[in-house]
Amino acid sequence: RTRPDATLDGLHYSRAFEDVAINVLLNRVCNRDTISPRPPFRTTCCFEYPPPVRFVTAYAALTLLLIPALLYVRARRPTLALLRVVPGADTLRQLGVFGAILLLMYVCDRTPLFEKLQKHFVGWVFAALSLASLAAGAATWQHADKTGAFLGRAQTDEWKGWMQLVILAYHLMNASGVAAIYNPVRVLVAMYLYMTGYGHCCYFYSKRDYGLRRLTAVLLRTNVLAVGLAYVMGTSYMDYYFAPLSSIWVLIVWLTMRIAPAANYTRLVWAKLAASACVFSAVNRWHLWPFALLERLGVSWSEREWEFRFGTDIFIVYVGMATALLVLQHGQQLQAHPRWPQLRRWAVLAAALGLPLYFYFELTRESKFEYNKWHPYIAPVPVLSFVVLRNATEYLRSHSSSMFRSAGLISLELFIAQFHLFLAADTKAVLVLVDSRLWFVNLFFTTMVFVAMCRLLGSASGAITAWLMAPVSPEPESADVIPMAELPHAPERPRALDRLAADPSLPARIAQGLARARILDNLALRWALGLALLIALNNHYY
C-alpha cells in the first residue's frame, strides 16, 4: 500500500521487493542454524531467542516473589526471629529495584517483545545530537563551587557527564567506523582513566588510608552492575569493559601508593610511578596476565581484547597521578611564585595550541588502526590541554553545567546499562520501545526511560554496596547510598548468624562462635567467599 510501484497486478512484484522477501525468508530459515544460541546475540530479526537459563528463572523468582514476601513479613511481623538474618527494609527495596531493572533489560534484549533496529551512521544526526547536548549544557551553566578548586568535584562530575553523552551518541549512531569520531572518543575514555589516577592518588596521598575497606567499597560500587548483568544476560564481564578497566587501574594506583608509603612524600615517589609503569607495561606486552589460571577456573575472557583495552591507555593513569602529586606537593608554592602569572599564561597558550594540533594529527592518520598505535603516547596532549583550559580562570573553575553534572553522577550506570536498555542486540542495534518508523520519537522516549532507570540503578548500587560492606552486628539498620569517591561509615546490618533457638544445636553454636569472633567481618575472607560463589555460578549455569 505504501509502495504502489512494487506491483502492477498484486501477483507479480518488482525485483527489489522480491529481494527483500527472499532475504527475510533466508534469514528466518538460516539464522536458526548459523547463529549461536548463546549470548551475545548480534541479530535484530528472524531469530528465535532461547529460553532463560535456570539462573535467570531463580533470579526472577527471588526478585519478584521472595523480596516482596520478605518486605510483607517485615512490615506485619517486625519482631519475628527469622528477620534477624534478613536485610533491612530499605536494603530489601533497593535489592528489589536493582533486580527488577535487570529483569527489564533481559526482557528488552533477550526476548522478541521489543523490536531491535539496526544502527546506521548519519553524520547530520550525530552532529545534531551533539549540538543539542551542548546547548542544553550551556543553558544550565551556573555557579557550583565556592572554593574554585582545581579539578573540583562539581567540575569532574560535569566532565564525566558531557563525555558520557558524547559516548552515547557515538554508540547510538554506530560512529566507530568513522576515524575522525572514533579517535577523539578514545581520548574520552583516556580522560575517564586520567580522573581515576588523579582522584584516587589524591585520596591516598591526603588520607593515608591504604586499608581494604575503602578499596573494597570502590571496587564493589564499580562492579556490582557489570557483574549482575554478566550473569543475568549471559554475557562476559569483559563486554562491559570499562568496569574491569577502571577496577584494575584502581588496584594499580592503590598498589603503587601502598608499597613503601613513606616514599609518597619524598622524591622517591616519582621512581615508584616509573617502576609501576614499567612493570605493568611489561605484563601487558609479554602476555603475563593470569588468563590461563582463569581458564582452569572456568572463566573465559578474551586475552587479546583485554590487552588492547589496557594497552591503549596504559600511561594516562600515571599522568593523572603525576598531576595529583604536583598539585598536592607544589601547588601552593607555584601559585606563590612571582612568575606564576607568566607561567599560567604560557600554559594556557600551550593548551590552546595543543588541542588543534592533536586534531590535525588524528585526522591525518590513514586509519583508526594506525591511530591506535599512537594513542598511548599522544592522548596526554588533549587531556592535559583540556584540563589547563578548563581551569584557566577562577570563573571557569567555580562554574559548571548542572545538566552535565547530573549525567556525571550516574555516568557509570549510563555507560554499562546502555548495552541492553538504550541499545540492544548487545550494542549492535537500537532498542525500539515506540515505533521504528518514528526514530526521533522513539529516541526521546527510550532516553527518558533509560535515564530514569540509571538513576534508580545508581541509588540501588550504592545501597547494595553499603549492605555488603557493613560489618556483622546485632542491631539491624538500613543501608545508605555510598558515593564512588568516598566511603562514609557504612551502616550496620543484622547479624547474619545469631541465636536461632533457645537451645541451639551444635551447628548453630558453631555459627554463633564464628559470629562472636567476627570472622565474617574479615574483608579478605569476604573477597574469597564472594569470588568462589561467582566462579561456582559461572561453572554451574554458564
Side-chain angles (χ1 to χ4, degrees):
R1 190 178 301 174
T2 59
R3 291 291 303 275
D5 58 331
T7 180
L8 297 177
D9 55 9
L11 297 176
H12 302 87
Y13 294 89
S14 67
R15 180 61 181 270
F17 190 88
E18 289 178 350
D19 288 344
V20 173
I22 292 172
N23 189 35
V24 171
L25 179 61
L26 288 174
N27 274 275
R28 183 69 181 90
V29 174
C30 298
N31 282 353
R32 181 174 60 250
D33 300 322
T34 59
I35 298 179
S36 171
R38 297 176 62 105
F41 303 124
R42 307 301 192 188
T43 185
T44 58
C45 74
C46 312
F47 175 70
E48 184 176 349
Y49 289 92
V53 298
R54 286 176 294 171
F55 175 82
V56 176
T57 304
Y59 188 80
L62 174 70
T63 301
L64 302 178
L65 299 177
L66 181 59
I67 290 179
L70 290 174
L71 283 170
Y72 176 81
V73 171
R74 185 172 279 283
R76 287 302 186 94
R77 302 186 62 183
T79 60
L80 190 65
L82 177 64
L83 296 179
R84 295 179 181 178
V85 297
V86 175
D90 290 344
T91 302
L92 282 174
R93 279 190 287 270
Q94 296 288 9
L95 286 168
V97 168
F98 186 85
I101 296 176
L102 263 60
L103 292 176
L104 173 62
M105 294 187 194
Y106 184 91
V107 171
C108 289
D109 205 17
R110 292 291 182 264
T111 71
L113 183 63
F114 295 104
E115 186 180 355
K116 287 84 175 173
L117 187 66
Q118 283 286 353
K119 299 190 296 183
H120 300 283
F121 178 73
V122 181
W124 73 266
V125 176
F126 179 81
L129 293 175
S130 302
L131 291 174
S133 299
L134 180 62
T140 57
W141 179 263
Q142 59 186 220
H143 188 274
D145 190 343
K146 295 180 179 179
T147 63
F150 176 80
L151 285 180
R153 180 62 185 270
Q155 185 186 146
T156 54
D157 285 340
E158 178 204 64
W159 193 359
K160 290 186 289 185
W162 69 258
M163 287 194 301
Q164 186 54 53
L165 295 180
V166 173
I167 290 174
L168 287 175
Y170 166 83
H171 285 153
L172 176 71
M173 298 308 303
N174 196 31
S176 59
V178 183
I181 300 175
Y182 169 89
N183 299 341
V185 168
R186 296 269 9 120
V187 173
L188 299 188
V189 177
M191 286 178 168
Y192 271 105
L193 296 177
Y194 172 88
M195 282 189 277
T196 297
Y198 179 86
H200 290 290
C201 184
C202 283
Y203 177 86
F204 291 129
Y205 187 94
S206 303
K207 303 293 185 180
R208 306 191 184 204
D209 176 12
Y210 306 107
L212 283 179
R213 175 158 293 277
R214 180 187 181 272
L215 178 68
T216 302
V218 171
L219 293 177
L220 282 174
R221 180 66 179 85
T222 303
N223 288 281
V224 63
L225 178 57
V227 171
L229 280 174
Y231 284 93
V232 172
M233 307 301 292
T235 52
S236 170
Y237 169 65
M238 293 294 292
D239 290 344
Y240 314 100
Y241 69 89
F242 185 75
L245 191 61
S246 177
S247 299
I248 192 65
W249 279 115
V250 169
L251 285 170
I252 290 173
V253 173
W254 172 79
L255 187 64
T256 303
M257 300 294 286
R258 176 67 182 84
I259 296 176
N264 296 337
Y265 307 94
T266 68
R267 293 181 180 180
L268 289 176
V269 70
W270 302 105
K272 288 176 58 178
L273 261 65
S276 177
C278 291
V279 167
F280 287 100
S281 296
V283 168
N284 201 63
R285 180 178 293 273
W286 295 338
H287 317 292
L288 299 178
W289 297 106
F291 283 94
L293 174 61
L294 292 175
E295 286 285 349
R296 291 188 177 185
L297 295 174
V299 179
S300 298
W301 290 346
S302 173
E303 183 175 5
R304 182 179 179 182
E305 176 71 13
W306 171 252
E307 289 176 349
F308 167 75
R309 296 290 183 187
F310 185 86
T312 301
D313 297 302
I314 198 165
F315 299 121
I316 194 64
V317 174
Y318 294 105
V319 175
M321 294 178 68
T323 305
L325 291 172
L326 286 172
V327 170
L328 293 171
Q329 293 182 346
H330 306 292
Q332 293 183 350
Q333 297 176 12
L334 284 173
Q335 293 184 52
H337 197 279
R339 293 189 177 181
W340 168 247
Q342 182 180 0
L343 178 61
R344 186 176 63 180
R345 286 193 293 270
W346 278 107
V348 171
L349 178 60
L353 292 174
L355 284 178
L357 286 175
Y358 163 77
F359 282 108
Y360 173 79
F361 176 84
E362 65 98 359
L363 289 172
T364 54
R365 299 309 94 189
E366 293 182 0
S367 67
K368 66 180 187 180
F369 305 105
E370 177 67 20
Y371 170 81
N372 284 337
K373 298 177 183 178
W374 290 94
H375 178 79
Y377 314 101
I378 198 69
V381 173
V383 174
L384 292 177
S385 296
F386 175 82
V387 170
V388 170
L389 293 176
R390 184 64 181 84
N391 292 271
T393 67
E394 184 177 354
Y395 174 82
L396 291 174
R397 293 193 298 271
S398 60
H399 286 70
S400 59
S401 165
S402 61
M403 191 200 79
F404 290 154
R405 290 201 309 272
S406 298
L409 291 173
I410 55 171
S411 59
L412 178 67
E413 288 72 30
L414 291 172
F415 190 92
I416 295 175
Q418 67 172 317
F419 283 65
H420 308 291
L421 196 54
F422 184 67
L423 306 174
D426 297 286
T427 74
K428 298 301 181 182
V430 178
L431 181 64
V432 178
L433 297 180
V434 181
D435 190 328
S436 59
R437 295 170 296 181
L438 305 174
W439 194 88
F440 283 102
V441 174
N442 177 74
L443 175 63
F444 176 80
F445 185 77
T446 304
T447 301
M448 295 299 103
V449 173
F450 171 60
V451 172
M453 294 300 103
C454 285
R455 288 188 176 278
L456 293 175
L457 280 172
S459 298
S461 297
I464 292 171
T465 300
W467 173 62
L468 292 174
M469 286 296 301
V472 176
S473 68
E475 293 297 329
E477 263 186 62
S478 302
D480 295 327
V481 175
I482 291 183
M484 291 187 65
E486 296 286 347
L487 177 67
H489 294 292
E492 297 181 346
R493 64 175 176 180
R495 182 188 294 271
L497 299 169
D498 202 349
R499 294 188 179 87
L500 300 178
D503 186 18
S505 61
L506 178 60
R509 290 198 298 271
I510 294 174
Q512 292 173 18
L514 292 175
R516 284 193 294 269
R518 305 189 73 83
I519 290 180
L520 294 180
D521 287 346
N522 187 294
L523 287 176
L525 178 61
R526 290 194 190 185
W527 268 98
L529 293 175
L531 292 175
L533 175 62
L534 293 178
I535 291 172
L537 289 173
N538 185 76
N539 287 306
H540 186 68
Y541 290 106
Y542 298 101

